[in-house]
Amino acid sequence: MSYTAGRHFLQIPGPTNVPDRILRALDRPTIDHRGPEFQMLGREVLAGLKHVLKTKAHVIIYPASGTGAWEAAFVNTLSPGDKVLMYETGQFATLWHGMAKRLGLAPEFIAGDWRHGADAAAIEARLVADKGHEIKAVCVVHNETSTGSTTPVGEVRKAIDRAKHPALFMVDTISSLASIDYRHDEWGVDVTVAGSQKGLMLPPGLSFNAVSEKALAATKSAKLPRSYWSWEEMLAPNKNGFFPYTPATNLLYGLREALKMLIEEEGLDNVFKRHDRHAEATRRAVRAWGLEILCANPTEYSSSLTAVLMPQGHSEIAFRKVVLEHFDMSLGSGLGKVADKVFRIGHLGDFNDLMLMGTLAGVEMGLELARVPHKKGGVAAAMEYLATARSGKAAQQKAA
Amino acid sequence: MSYTAGRHFLQIPGPTNVPDRILRALDRPTIDHRGPEFQMLGREVLAGLKHVLKTKAHVIIYPASGTGAWEAAFVNTLSPGDKVLMYETGQFATLWHGMAKRLGLAPEFIAGDWRHGADAAAIEARLVADKGHEIKAVCVVHNETSTGSTTPVGEVRKAIDRAKHPALFMVDTISSLASIDYRHDEWGVDVTVAGSQKGLMLPPGLSFNAVSEKALAATKSAKLPRSYWSWEEMLAPNKNGFFPYTPATNLLYGLREALKMLIEEEGLDNVFKRHDRHAEATRRAVRAWGLEILCANPTEYSSSLTAVLMPQGHSEIAFRKVVLEHFDMSLGSGLGKVADKVFRIGHLGDFNDLMLMGTLAGVEMGLELARVPHKKGGVAAAMEYLATARSGKAAQQKAA
Amino acid sequence: MSYTAGRHFLQIPGPTNVPDRILRALDRPTIDHRGPEFQMLGREVLAGLKHVLKTKAHVIIYPASGTGAWEAAFVNTLSPGDKVLMYETGQFATLWHGMAKRLGLAPEFIAGDWRHGADAAAIEARLVADKGHEIKAVCVVHNETSTGSTTPVGEVRKAIDRAKHPALFMVDTISSLASIDYRHDEWGVDVTVAGSQKGLMLPPGLSFNAVSEKALAATKSAKLPRSYWSWEEMLAPNKNGFFPYTPATNLLYGLREALKMLIEEEGLDNVFKRHDRHAEATRRAVRAWGLEILCANPTEYSSSLTAVLMPQGHSEIAFRKVVLEHFDMSLGSGLGKVADKVFRIGHLGDFNDLMLMGTLAGVEMGLELARVPHKKGGVAAAMEYLATARSGKAAQQKAA
Amino acid sequence: MSYTAGRHFLQIPGPTNVPDRILRALDRPTIDHRGPEFQMLGREVLAGLKHVLKTKAHVIIYPASGTGAWEAAFVNTLSPGDKVLMYETGQFATLWHGMAKRLGLAPEFIAGDWRHGADAAAIEARLVADKGHEIKAVCVVHNETSTGSTTPVGEVRKAIDRAKHPALFMVDTISSLASIDYRHDEWGVDVTVAGSQKGLMLPPGLSFNAVSEKALAATKSAKLPRSYWSWEEMLAPNKNGFFPYTPATNLLYGLREALKMLIEEEGLDNVFKRHDRHAEATRRAVRAWGLEILCANPTEYSSSLTAVLMPQGHSEIAFRKVVLEHFDMSLGSGLGKVADKVFRIGHLGDFNDLMLMGTLAGVEMGLELARVPHKKGGVAAAMEYLATARSGKAAQQKAA
């Protein structure tokens, strides 16, 4: 090892900074996953996840990355050749689409410009056109991690309803859950896909499905082969807090701690407001620098991350390298179509105002050192916003 | 939490006792899995695993339980309806067999009595009979965790060779790797399946495949759908130390530490000898108690665990409950066909002579408290063996 | 580092095995020792210590080893040349006596044979003879860590009272507190001396005084120079949970956790019973080996440790070396007058039945390997006792 | 516990932010302090400390706060009534002076204005006047933690030499060691006093003396009573890596790690340059805010911390409360004479550019929220300096 003084700033949009309490919770002897102590743990995390997912339906925990939970959504509900309607919001939608093809599904990909969330109207139109109900599932990414655009999930639900289409509704919340409000039940989602390493503030290694009764019913006829991902295998032992195969026990310790912090201590609404505040401060900084935010629709701005367009002729790879080497900060790279054109600032998870200010200062100084054309004043703009936000809050508290 | 004084004795045959050094290694901030620091980590763990698996072939790391690596072995190499020859050594062979069925394969299960490893001669006979080479894979469990019997993997290889059969050879080493000598290349295994939470002394959440060139070639024609488990997707980024989707970074920190401890510090041969010694001491205790070892063939005794038959009319569930409540020790339960008939003593992983003596004392006192008929003297027999083993070692060292 | 498999058995009579929960509690960022979060911590640990010390009087926490709390007891209450009556129970009484001399006091040392606690009658006789009340303090060690003999503190109090002597009563509880019942107020102790690294299950680095009003009043006239150890300097900020100089914050985190475990979770009475049980089991083992317990008076047996006489002509140093090298267990050495004649088995702190059995097995096998004449059966005798104790407990619980 | 998102900014001038590696090093089972593994630890930390203190003389480690090492410096070398020349650089010099009085010494305190280091000329004048050599020691604080002014220790040495005065030279380096260059041998210091919780990046609980041969010789005639602090008692067992009483083992684990990071990994010269850079950036921010730096002499600016004068009529207590509540940052308070007039920004220990920027942003926003009159632009000024410093460094590296 070699010592670089101070803390690394991990400002990619996930994995996020893991709080000490959660790391310390992981750092405990593994227990017997068939014993009574585990049983309490299992019950507790399953219940807590329902709270975070805002669902009374089933929740599944996989010892796997988020990518695994994508696969699980498909193999439990669909059959080879099934049509799936997907929406190209960015790189992660594209990867999920690629997975659908690899698994033998027939995904249809509504093209997008990587600067917007999924368009509910376009989905509605396509579903209306699908008279024969060949489309078996509609899949959108709630918060597209590669672009910082969100999709209005409730609107998509309404679009499906208006189309009176029976397709299952699947939503990827990997980089939104526990950062941006999400409501599995209220929004009528059939399968939610989530992961541990973003808003839940855990290391990677766990992923989740929330499963509606309709999705569960679909397993009866779904013909894609499945074993590891099988909901059916999971749900029976889950009732007693157990799992059909060895769970990632130590990550579950961390999950229990994270759920306690988010639900009982900070409170989900406060968590969301905090993310909103940091996102707005970041956008003000970006604008002050004279740079362009990738997300083109303000109502779809992500509170988890902000993707920023590099000025023409400047490489985000070179820029991020400067930032990493000089300021020990990791920023998110441009992915897929926007590779080398966009960098991403993660401002989600275990994060606060001063960490954000360190982050934005690192970006501003990095722009300077990498000779990227920009105006100064981004940090100042963010500070002004944050101080005003605090000041309003203080005033409110006084009034109350 | 409630405080039970002293350390829990986790003497199930896995997850095993995780050394403090490994827990502390996990307990570090997650890093950017696309950055240069991760790259070094990725390369290091992939190289170390090859050493432990005794292979120069490909090694794959999944953020998943061992069950996932079972699935990966199948979906990468086989097509729906493919015949697979499996051997019923016990519960884990049975579960793997069940998975094969669920995935749409056509497994053939050579019946076993749960007291022996897989019989190379029986496998040979079946393969010889398979003139049309319909059998695409032969699958055995190296160390059957439910019974404590090992399969002579090298003998099975020879049997396949004698039968001149082209089937792939797949071996589950989940509870043997890094506890009992295993040689992927020398024994001509095509796909090895392994997990983190046994001899590798990690928490659960990582699993592994070692993949021969022949197995890799089989992916070209294999028709089972795959994405998360796809070797092909893995191997390209792995070359640079990276992964196609977010890896379980913190568990990889632990893996690096474990590999260092096993390879560079204790040395694999010493690790194996240690496990042999503890297994022999345990068997002497069992015999002294007048109880029967489940494994019927001494050449197939497992060095990872010892399964013990309960005297007729006595419940292992009741016995283990007594041990857990009185002595804060978790023993392995009887699984599947031997449920409530067998208990299992795990003596693998991060373990030493005095931990074993505590374990055996807990069993001996538990037998007494649970009123299970037995003779005293098991602990004494184990001590005598261990002291003699040490004494011989000391003598040897002196002579050297 | 080099990896020795399994856990080290730290069976010296302190520092003791630190529970994971306490280590993890230490492993947190240090906080501002003048801020509100610290204030709560300070108040909590001061209150909890009073509970453990069974006192309503003042409790002082030093960032220092137990030796520092010995010094604090003297310098706060005495003047150069003051007579102090001390009792030679063993090495720690001798060291405390040496400190008294170095600090310019005039200690008088009642000789002892290192096989008994302090004799209340002898103390009474000496005090009665001290017509002029020149003796300013009586000092005894509650549990003599070098010999495993306890002093009946309440009896000494009665002796002082019978002698109607005004001397302060000082008691060292370093290796008894939170292992053996101790009552500062009920036993009329003026200054109690305690440390973190024994029954309190913490690493070394904290020590404590409990201080009666009488002792506090003595500070007015005490002429020994003092600053770091000054109670007066401590008590004022302590009222608000603060300290006059930087406290050992991270050890205080551990202390809070330890107090919670001992008081709220296991309960002090259960802690004492557990120590009694392990001590009795150990003594039965020693007798079965045909070895002699150093403590000559059964009513004074220590529940924290058992000191064992080596057979004539056998070196405890050589024996302990064998045990350390072969079984990775540290036993306590013979100290001072009994150097190389006695070894000590620590059975205090975070300890349970199976850890004890591992410990005793290590001793029994070590005796064999070191060729120390002994009978076998110590481990068996301990197991029989423990199983019977459990069985009685179970019966009781049933009856209740 | 209650969850406040993100990391606390601990920007008091000590205790400082403890790196994860050091916290994790503490978080290990305590070992036998009389065994061979400890011996290596003891030798290693004693050797490493000599390197950091730039001495070949003796180094002493106390399980105690820095205050204890102050006391040790006195009681080992002086006798009751001895004259000691001290210099009022600020609150810590004042506290040390108070200790000298409490210990029965006769300290003479050269008055200072709390805005400068000790004046070598004034010390020289006083020593020249001391014809009878009644002054036995000259004591200065290298880096006055309450004011952010440093004393030119080498100049004071020359002053003593010019005065041809035999007094011992004692220097407090508690908040400078391992942050600001310090040279025990070269500067002819007799007793250096240091602590763990500042530049050494450890939690509080360890303190140090470096001891010249002259100071050691002084112990022969020194009459202040001593036992816990006795160098003599320490040095004999230290030769073998051991300690006369139980050391704070787990903190020593941390010390070993810290020494490795500072000496072998970052390198002391780089550590000093880093502290210089952060101090300069901080001062530029302070000036841009239009606030006044307490230290009046630029050649004496501290690289560990910057004390800032509040504008007339504004309370630092109120200001720091705002910063703590809104931004979860602890700043240093005004102490003693400057209470409520000065706040202090700690920028020492495990610290980097972006942590500094978060810190300064917290101050700037806090000034706003607390309605403290100031100009904006402090953060911008610091960024400009840091970026330029980096840019120069990059240019240099290119040239080399």
Side-chain angles (χ1 to χ4, degrees), chain D residues 224-273:
Chain D
L224 273 173
R226 62 185 166 274
S227 179
Y228 190 79
W229 309 115
S230 170
W231 295 337
E232 212 181 354
E233 301 279 315
M234 279 281 189
L235 290 173
N238 274 187
K239 268 177 205 148
N240 296 313
F242 292 116
F243 290 84
Y245 46 78
T246 315
T249 305
N250 292 52
L251 289 171
L252 296 179
Y253 296 154
L255 178 57
R256 174 165 55 186
E257 193 74 12
L259 292 167
K260 203 175 153 227
M261 292 160 82
L262 292 166
I263 300 171
E264 294 173 32
E265 299 183 20
E266 186 170 8
L268 283 179
D269 287 345
N270 292 326
V271 171
F272 301 148
K273 277 181 210 154

Side-chain angles (χ1 to χ4, degrees), chain A residues 136-397:
Chain A
K136 298 302 175 201
V138 174
C139 303
V140 298
V141 174
H142 182 209
N143 182 67
E144 174 59 62
T145 320
S146 64
T147 68
S149 298
T150 59
T151 285
V153 175
E155 296 308 308
V156 177
R157 172 75 266 167
K158 285 181 202 158
I160 300 172
D161 289 348
R162 278 191 302 266
K164 298 203 170 67
H165 198 287
L168 293 169
F169 186 26
M170 301 187 179
V171 181
D172 168 336
T173 67
I174 289 177
S175 60
S176 59
L177 191 71
S179 298
I180 301 173
D181 192 16
Y182 181 76
R183 305 169 180 213
H184 178 87
D185 285 1
E186 184 182 326
W187 294 343
V189 180
D190 292 304
V191 190
T192 296
V193 170
S196 57
Q197 77 274 19
K198 312 267 180 172
L200 288 173
M201 311 183 295
L202 290 163
L206 292 181
S207 56
F208 315 101
N209 276 172
V211 177
S212 72
E213 292 299 336
K214 182 176 166 188
L216 194 61
T219 62
K220 305 292 175 198
S221 53
K223 298 269 183 303
L224 273 173
R226 61 186 168 272
S227 180
Y228 190 79
W229 309 115
S230 169
W231 295 336
E232 211 180 355
E233 300 281 313
M234 279 282 188
L235 289 174
N238 274 189
K239 268 177 205 148
N240 296 313
F242 293 116
F243 290 85
Y245 44 78
T246 314
T249 306
N250 292 51
L251 289 171
L252 296 179
Y253 296 154
L255 178 57
R256 173 165 55 185
E257 193 73 13
L259 292 167
K260 203 176 153 224
M261 292 159 83
L262 292 167
I263 300 170
E264 295 173 33
E265 299 184 19
E266 187 170 8
L268 283 178
D269 287 344
N270 293 324
V271 171
F272 301 148
K273 277 182 209 154
R274 173 166 54 84
H275 282 78
D276 292 345
R277 187 172 76 243
H278 292 155
E280 176 60 26
T282 301
R283 290 189 296 265
R284 294 192 178 211
V286 174
R287 287 189 205 109
W289 291 322
L291 300 180
E292 193 177 350
I293 294 165
L294 183 62
C295 177
N297 181 354
T299 69
E300 294 177 349
Y301 282 150
S302 167
S303 286
S304 298
L305 75 136
T306 301
V308 182
L309 279 157
M310 291 296 288
Q312 195 70 25
H314 289 270
S315 157
E316 58 92 4
I317 296 170
F319 164 65
R320 287 188 307 105
K321 193 162 182 284
V322 162
V323 170
L324 180 59
E325 289 179 2
H326 283 290
F327 300 112
D328 200 18
M329 174 159 69
S330 297
L331 293 170
S333 59
L335 296 173
K337 286 190 185 172
V338 295
D340 214 10
K341 294 181 184 153
V342 149
F343 70 91
R344 294 171 297 145
I345 303 170
H347 34 67
L348 75 166
D350 184 47
F351 203 55
N352 64 26
D353 288 14
L354 301 194
M355 293 168 83
L356 175 63
M357 293 317 306
T359 299
L360 296 177
V363 173
E364 186 161 330
M365 293 190 289
L367 291 168
E368 167 102 15
L369 288 177
R371 298 170 190 240
V372 177
H374 72 288
K375 284 177 277 182
K376 304 219 166 167
V379 164
M383 277 201 292
E384 190 173 338
Y385 174 72
L386 289 178
T388 306
R390 288 286 171 184
S391 162
K393 200 174 157 190
Q396 275 185 322
Q397 286 172 339

Side-chain angles (χ1 to χ4, degrees), chain C residues 1 7-8 10 12 14-16 18 20 23-24 26-36 63-69 71 92 95 98-99 102-104 197-198 202-205 224-230 233 244-251 320 324 330-331 333 335 344, chain D residues 1 7-8 10 12 14-16 18 20 23-24 26-36 63-69 71 92 95 98-99 102-104 197-198 202-205 224-230 233 244-251 320 324 330-331 333 335 344:
Chain C
M1 268 184 282
R7 295 194 76 78
H8 180 70
L10 182 72
I12 57 174
T16 63
V18 181
D20 285 329
L23 287 175
R24 242 40 34 95
L26 300 179
D27 182 354
R28 278 188 49 208
T30 306
I31 54 172
D32 180 4
H33 56 293
R34 304 195 194 282
S65 296
T67 301
E71 185 158 320
F92 288 92
L95 289 172
M99 171 184 272
R102 273 196 300 277
L103 293 176
Q197 77 273 23
K198 312 269 177 170
L202 290 163
L224 273 173
R226 61 186 166 273
S227 180
Y228 190 80
W229 309 115
S230 169
E233 300 280 315
Y245 45 78
T246 314
T249 305
N250 293 51
L251 290 170
R320 286 187 306 107
L324 179 60
S330 296
L331 293 170
S333 58
L335 294 173
R344 293 170 298 144
Chain D
M1 268 184 282
R7 296 193 76 78
H8 180 71
L10 183 72
I12 56 174
T16 63
V18 181
D20 284 331
L23 286 175
R24 245 34 39 91
L26 300 180
D27 182 353
R28 280 188 47 208
T30 307
I31 54 172
D32 180 4
H33 56 292
R34 305 195 193 281
S65 297
T67 301
E71 184 157 320
F92 288 93
L95 289 172
M99 172 184 272
R102 273 195 301 278
L103 293 175
Q197 77 274 22
K198 313 267 179 171
L202 290 163
L224 273 173
R226 62 185 166 274
S227 179
Y228 190 79
W229 309 115
S230 170
E233 301 279 315
Y245 46 78
T246 315
T249 305
N250 292 52
L251 289 171
R320 288 188 304 106
L324 179 60
S330 297
L331 293 169
S333 59
L335 295 173
R344 293 171 298 145

Side-chain angles (χ1 to χ4, degrees), chain C residues 13-314:
Chain C
T16 63
N17 297 291
V18 181
D20 285 329
R21 273 176 64 185
I22 291 181
L23 287 175
R24 242 40 34 95
L26 300 179
D27 182 354
R28 278 188 49 208
T30 306
I31 54 172
D32 180 4
H33 56 293
R34 304 195 194 282
E37 189 182 343
F38 184 89
Q39 186 169 36
M40 286 193 297
L41 171 65
R43 283 175 170 155
E44 211 173 325
V45 293
L46 287 164
L49 278 172
K50 288 189 188 190
H51 192 102
V52 170
L53 284 153
K54 299 192 176 173
T55 183
K56 295 201 161 103
H58 310 284
V59 167
I60 305 284
I61 303 175
Y62 294 111
S65 296
T67 301
W70 271 355
E71 185 158 320
F74 287 151
V75 298
N76 277 288
T77 56
L78 301 171
S79 301
D82 271 359
K83 269 212 170 142
V84 179
L85 185 63
M86 305 185 86
Y87 200 105
E88 185 200 6
T89 44
Q91 176 68 0
F92 288 92
T94 302
L95 289 172
W96 200 10
H97 175 256
M99 171 184 272
K101 285 197 291 187
R102 273 196 300 277
L103 293 176
L105 300 170
E108 191 176 317
F109 210 26
I110 303 181
D113 67 355
W114 292 45
R115 304 193 65 171
H116 294 81
D119 177 8
I123 289 169
E124 184 174 354
R126 181 61 192 88
L127 292 178
V128 166
D130 178 37
K131 304 290 182 205
H133 293 174
E134 286 183 23
I135 292 168
K136 299 302 174 200
V138 174
C139 304
V140 299
V141 174
H142 182 210
N143 182 68
E144 174 59 60
T145 320
S146 64
T147 69
S149 298
T150 60
T151 286
V153 174
E155 296 307 308
V156 176
R157 173 76 263 168
K158 286 180 200 157
I160 300 171
D161 289 348
R162 279 191 303 266
K164 299 203 170 64
H165 197 286
L168 293 168
F169 185 25
M170 300 185 180
V171 181
D172 167 337
T173 67
I174 289 175
S175 62
S176 59
L177 191 72
S179 298
I180 302 172
D181 192 17
Y182 180 76
R183 307 169 180 214
H184 179 87
D185 284 1
E186 184 183 326
W187 293 343
V189 180
D190 292 304
V191 190
T192 296
V193 170
S196 58
Q197 77 273 23
K198 312 269 177 170
L200 288 174
M201 311 182 296
L202 290 163
L206 292 180
S207 57
F208 314 102
N209 278 172
V211 177
S212 72
E213 291 299 335
K214 182 177 167 187
L216 194 60
T219 62
K220 305 292 175 197
S221 53
K223 297 267 183 306
L224 273 173
R226 61 186 166 273
S227 180
Y228 190 80
W229 309 115
S230 169
W231 295 336
E232 213 180 352
E233 300 280 315
M234 280 282 188
L235 290 174
N238 274 187
K239 268 177 204 148
N240 296 313
F242 293 117
F243 289 85
Y245 45 78
T246 314
T249 305
N250 293 51
L251 290 170
L252 296 179
Y253 296 154
L255 178 57
R256 173 166 54 186
E257 193 73 14
L259 291 168
K260 202 177 154 224
M261 292 159 83
L262 292 166
I263 299 172
E264 294 174 32
E265 299 183 21
E266 186 169 9
L268 283 178
D269 286 346
N270 292 325
V271 171
F272 301 148
K273 276 181 209 154
R274 172 166 56 82
H275 281 78
D276 292 346
R277 185 173 78 242
H278 292 156
E280 178 61 25
T282 302
R283 291 188 295 265
R284 291 191 181 213
V286 174
R287 287 189 204 108
W289 291 324
L291 298 180
E292 193 177 350
I293 294 165
L294 182 62
C295 176
N297 181 354
T299 69
E300 294 176 348
Y301 283 148
S302 167
S303 286
S304 298
L305 75 136
T306 301
V308 182
L309 280 157
M310 292 295 289
Q312 197 70 25
H314 290 271

Side-chain angles (χ1 to χ4, degrees), chain D residues 166-185:
Chain D
L168 293 168
F169 186 26
M170 301 185 178
V171 181
D172 167 335
T173 67
I174 289 176
S175 61
S176 58
L177 191 72
S179 298
I180 302 172
D181 192 17
Y182 181 76
R183 307 169 179 213
H184 179 86
D185 285 1

Side-chain angles (χ1 to χ4, degrees), chain B residues 256-320:
Chain B
R256 173 166 56 187
E257 192 74 13
L259 291 168
K260 202 176 155 224
M261 291 159 83
L262 291 166
I263 300 171
E264 294 173 33
E265 299 183 20
E266 187 169 8
L268 283 178
D269 287 345
N270 292 325
V271 171
F272 301 148
K273 277 181 208 154
R274 172 165 57 82
H275 282 79
D276 292 345
R277 186 173 77 244
H278 292 154
E280 176 61 25
T282 302
R283 292 188 294 265
R284 293 192 179 211
V286 174
R287 288 190 203 106
W289 291 323
L291 299 179
E292 194 177 350
I293 294 165
L294 182 63
C295 176
N297 181 355
T299 70
E300 294 175 347
Y301 281 149
S302 167
S303 286
S304 298
L305 75 135
T306 301
V308 182
L309 280 157
M310 291 296 289
Q312 195 70 26
H314 289 270
S315 156
E316 57 92 3
I317 295 170
F319 164 64
R320 287 187 306 105

Side-chain angles (χ1 to χ4, degrees), chain A residues 31-47:
Chain A
I31 54 172
D32 180 5
H33 56 292
R34 305 195 193 281
E37 189 182 342
F38 184 90
Q39 186 169 38
M40 287 191 298
L41 171 65
R43 283 173 169 159
E44 211 172 324
V45 293
L46 287 164

